[in-house]
Amino acid sequence: MLEFQQVTKRFGSFTALNQVSIHVPKGSVYGLVGPNGAGKSTLIRCAIGAYRPTSGSITVEGSPVWESPAVKARLAHIPDEIFYYPNTTISDLARLYRQMYPTFDPDRYSQLQSLFNLPKGPIRRFSKGMQKQSAFLLTMAIRPELLILDEPVDGLDPIMRRQVWQLLLEEVAQRNLTVLVSSHNLRELEDVCDHVGILDKGQMLLERDLATLQENLVKLQFLPGPEGTLPALEILHSSQTGKLFTLIVRGNADEVEAKAKAAKAQYLNLLPLSLEEIFIYELGGISDEIRNTIL
């Protein structure tokens, strides 16, 4: 649905994005990960049409985002730091949104009010977490087709984090909502994303469909037989506790299991890999600075 093709964004002599290409499929949750200063916020501002790319193109289902009110009416954005006019209340903004967005759904707005249960009064007096809840209440009431989020659950307590993610995933399942979510924390995205891209210093290091990643890497616990040999596999990492080996190998799970059995193991167990582990071994030579930030 959202596509960047060779997008570069410069500010004077500084290149914030360098030939970035990403594809966010319709109805998917795409996680954009990277350390601070990687270019995530610049990419998002280009995606919503706030910045014009120096070169390249950004489209939503083939239509350019830049200076296109029709395209922008289909998307919504919740930034990390939320701005409100002084003394503005949620009711004030609901009336504004109703006028601005033809898709604003009063019934959905009422339903979400009971979910978030926010106090009355100026939003500027709310905590950061309550301001984030206000943004989700108003944004989800306009029923966007594409939702772009920057650190969306920062400031929310654990219970509200779970409720917000559940709300988003329900919208994805029921309305085919497309979500691009930026975060510096890969663990936070593990349970919700089906696509992930890693950005560093304005360049995409890796973009993958998680299902494909999970099919191609296997964690294997292996206790060698009498001959003490390891299976003939593409081993990316090996650790040993006593006689028991834990191997990270590349390959299909069924093929890996067959080769491991052929090596006459005394004990054999295939384990699922976390998203964190997948990216550690897929990225290989990634620097410790980036690894520590996103993992």
Side-chain angles (χ1 to χ4, degrees), residues 3 10 39 41 46 73 76 78 80 82 96-97 101 112 121 141 146 168 195 228 240 249 251 287 292:
E3 189 159 7
R10 297 190 184 93
S41 294
C46 289
I78 299 179
D80 183 24
I82 300 172
L96 177 63
Y97 276 43
Y101 294 96
L112 293 173
L146 171 62
L168 290 175
H195 293 74
Q240 186 175 1
V249 301
S287 71
N292 292 338

Short mmCIF file of all heavy atoms in Angstrom, two decimals, residues 3 10 39 41 46 73 76 78 80 82 96-97 101 112 121 141 146 168 195 228 240 249 251 287 292:
data_model
loop_
_atom_site.label_atom_id
_atom_site.label_comp_id
_atom_site.label_asym_id
_atom_site.label_seq_id
_atom_site.Cartn_x
_atom_site.Cartn_y
_atom_site.Cartn_z
N GLU A 3 4.59 2.78 -0.50
CA GLU A 3 5.84 2.37 -1.16
C GLU A 3 6.80 3.54 -1.28
O GLU A 3 6.42 4.62 -1.75
CB GLU A 3 5.55 1.78 -2.52
CG GLU A 3 6.77 1.14 -3.17
CD GLU A 3 6.41 0.14 -4.25
OE1 GLU A 3 5.23 0.03 -4.60
OE2 GLU A 3 7.33 -0.53 -4.75
N ARG A 10 17.65 15.24 1.77
CA ARG A 10 18.81 16.00 2.25
C ARG A 10 18.35 17.29 2.90
O ARG A 10 17.38 17.92 2.48
CB ARG A 10 19.76 16.32 1.10
CG ARG A 10 20.37 15.11 0.42
CD ARG A 10 21.48 15.51 -0.54
NE ARG A 10 22.01 14.35 -1.26
CZ ARG A 10 21.57 13.95 -2.45
NH1 ARG A 10 20.59 14.61 -3.06
NH2 ARG A 10 22.09 12.88 -3.03
N GLY A 39 17.06 8.03 11.11
CA GLY A 39 16.28 8.60 10.02
C GLY A 39 14.82 8.18 10.05
O GLY A 39 14.07 8.47 9.11
N SER A 41 12.22 9.20 11.95
CA SER A 41 11.26 10.31 11.99
C SER A 41 11.23 11.05 10.66
O SER A 41 10.16 11.49 10.21
CB SER A 41 11.61 11.28 13.13
OG SER A 41 11.44 10.64 14.39
N CYS A 46 8.24 12.19 5.66
CA CYS A 46 8.10 12.07 4.20
C CYS A 46 6.87 11.26 3.86
O CYS A 46 6.13 11.57 2.91
CB CYS A 46 9.34 11.41 3.60
SG CYS A 46 10.84 12.43 3.61
N ALA A 73 -6.07 12.28 3.12
CA ALA A 73 -7.33 12.03 3.81
C ALA A 73 -7.49 10.55 4.16
O ALA A 73 -8.30 10.20 5.03
CB ALA A 73 -8.50 12.47 2.94
N ALA A 76 -3.55 8.52 8.61
CA ALA A 76 -3.49 9.23 9.88
C ALA A 76 -2.13 8.99 10.51
O ALA A 76 -1.47 7.99 10.24
CB ALA A 76 -4.60 8.75 10.81
N ILE A 78 0.17 9.44 14.26
CA ILE A 78 0.31 9.78 15.68
C ILE A 78 1.80 9.89 15.97
O ILE A 78 2.52 8.89 15.92
CB ILE A 78 -0.33 8.72 16.59
CG1 ILE A 78 -1.83 8.61 16.29
CG2 ILE A 78 -0.11 9.07 18.05
CD1 ILE A 78 -2.54 7.58 17.13
N ASP A 80 5.38 10.89 18.19
CA ASP A 80 5.85 10.59 19.54
C ASP A 80 5.48 11.73 20.49
O ASP A 80 4.95 11.51 21.58
CB ASP A 80 7.37 10.39 19.51
CG ASP A 80 7.92 10.01 20.88
OD1 ASP A 80 7.15 9.48 21.71
OD2 ASP A 80 9.12 10.23 21.12
N ILE A 82 3.10 14.87 21.06
CA ILE A 82 1.81 15.33 20.54
C ILE A 82 1.58 16.79 20.89
O ILE A 82 1.76 17.21 22.04
CB ILE A 82 0.68 14.45 21.11
CG1 ILE A 82 0.89 12.99 20.70
CG2 ILE A 82 -0.68 14.93 20.63
CD1 ILE A 82 -0.04 12.02 21.35
N LEU A 96 -13.69 19.15 15.64
CA LEU A 96 -12.80 19.52 14.53
C LEU A 96 -12.60 18.35 13.57
O LEU A 96 -12.69 18.51 12.35
CB LEU A 96 -11.46 19.99 15.08
CG LEU A 96 -10.38 20.34 14.05
CD1 LEU A 96 -10.82 21.52 13.20
CD2 LEU A 96 -9.05 20.65 14.76
N TYR A 97 -12.36 17.18 14.12
CA TYR A 97 -12.14 16.00 13.29
C TYR A 97 -13.39 15.66 12.48
O TYR A 97 -13.31 15.22 11.33
CB TYR A 97 -11.74 14.80 14.16
CG TYR A 97 -10.27 14.73 14.50
CD1 TYR A 97 -9.56 15.86 14.88
CD2 TYR A 97 -9.58 13.52 14.46
CE1 TYR A 97 -8.22 15.80 15.20
CE2 TYR A 97 -8.23 13.44 14.77
CZ TYR A 97 -7.57 14.59 15.14
OH TYR A 97 -6.23 14.53 15.45
N TYR A 101 -12.72 15.31 8.55
CA TYR A 101 -12.67 13.97 7.99
C TYR A 101 -14.08 13.45 7.72
O TYR A 101 -14.84 13.20 8.67
CB TYR A 101 -11.96 13.00 8.95
CG TYR A 101 -10.50 13.31 9.15
CD1 TYR A 101 -10.06 14.07 10.23
CD2 TYR A 101 -9.54 12.83 8.26
CE1 TYR A 101 -8.72 14.35 10.43
CE2 TYR A 101 -8.19 13.10 8.44
CZ TYR A 101 -7.79 13.86 9.53
OH TYR A 101 -6.46 14.13 9.72
N LEU A 112 -14.99 4.01 21.69
CA LEU A 112 -13.61 4.15 22.14
C LEU A 112 -13.51 5.01 23.40
O LEU A 112 -12.59 4.83 24.20
CB LEU A 112 -12.76 4.75 21.02
CG LEU A 112 -12.57 3.86 19.79
CD1 LEU A 112 -11.86 4.61 18.68
CD2 LEU A 112 -11.79 2.60 20.16
N GLY A 121 -11.50 18.15 30.58
CA GLY A 121 -10.57 19.25 30.78
C GLY A 121 -9.55 19.35 29.66
O GLY A 121 -9.51 18.51 28.76
N ALA A 141 -11.21 6.95 15.44
CA ALA A 141 -12.59 7.31 15.12
C ALA A 141 -12.74 7.77 13.67
O ALA A 141 -13.85 7.74 13.13
CB ALA A 141 -13.09 8.40 16.07
N LEU A 146 -4.59 3.90 6.30
CA LEU A 146 -3.17 3.76 6.59
C LEU A 146 -2.87 4.55 7.86
O LEU A 146 -3.18 5.74 7.95
CB LEU A 146 -2.33 4.30 5.43
CG LEU A 146 -0.82 4.43 5.65
CD1 LEU A 146 -0.18 3.07 5.92
CD2 LEU A 146 -0.15 5.10 4.44
N LEU A 168 -5.45 -2.08 17.65
CA LEU A 168 -4.87 -1.95 16.32
C LEU A 168 -4.97 -3.26 15.53
O LEU A 168 -5.32 -3.25 14.35
CB LEU A 168 -3.40 -1.52 16.44
CG LEU A 168 -3.15 -0.10 16.92
CD1 LEU A 168 -1.66 0.14 17.10
CD2 LEU A 168 -3.72 0.92 15.95
N HIS A 195 6.00 -7.66 9.11
CA HIS A 195 7.13 -7.20 8.30
C HIS A 195 7.99 -6.27 9.16
O HIS A 195 7.44 -5.51 9.97
CB HIS A 195 6.67 -6.44 7.06
CG HIS A 195 5.95 -7.28 6.06
ND1 HIS A 195 4.65 -7.72 6.26
CD2 HIS A 195 6.32 -7.76 4.84
CE1 HIS A 195 4.27 -8.43 5.22
NE2 HIS A 195 5.25 -8.47 4.36
N GLY A 228 30.20 -38.58 18.22
CA GLY A 228 30.47 -37.20 18.62
C GLY A 228 30.48 -36.19 17.50
O GLY A 228 31.10 -35.13 17.62
N GLN A 240 27.83 -24.42 23.73
CA GLN A 240 27.87 -25.75 24.33
C GLN A 240 27.76 -25.66 25.84
O GLN A 240 28.42 -24.84 26.49
CB GLN A 240 29.16 -26.47 23.93
CG GLN A 240 29.24 -27.93 24.39
CD GLN A 240 30.48 -28.62 23.87
OE1 GLN A 240 31.30 -28.01 23.18
NE2 GLN A 240 30.65 -29.89 24.20
N VAL A 249 20.93 -22.67 12.98
CA VAL A 249 21.27 -23.14 11.64
C VAL A 249 20.31 -22.54 10.62
O VAL A 249 19.15 -22.23 10.92
CB VAL A 249 21.24 -24.68 11.56
CG1 VAL A 249 22.22 -25.28 12.55
CG2 VAL A 249 19.85 -25.22 11.81
N GLY A 251 18.08 -23.02 7.33
CA GLY A 251 17.43 -24.10 6.59
C GLY A 251 16.01 -24.32 7.04
O GLY A 251 15.56 -23.78 8.05
N SER A 287 27.01 -3.60 13.69
CA SER A 287 27.85 -3.05 14.74
C SER A 287 27.21 -3.25 16.10
O SER A 287 25.99 -3.34 16.24
CB SER A 287 28.10 -1.55 14.51
OG SER A 287 26.91 -0.82 14.74
N ASN A 292 22.94 -3.24 20.17
CA ASN A 292 22.53 -2.95 21.54
C ASN A 292 21.30 -2.05 21.57
O ASN A 292 20.50 -2.11 22.50
CB ASN A 292 23.67 -2.31 22.32
CG ASN A 292 24.82 -3.28 22.56
OD1 ASN A 292 24.62 -4.49 22.52
ND2 ASN A 292 26.01 -2.75 22.79
#
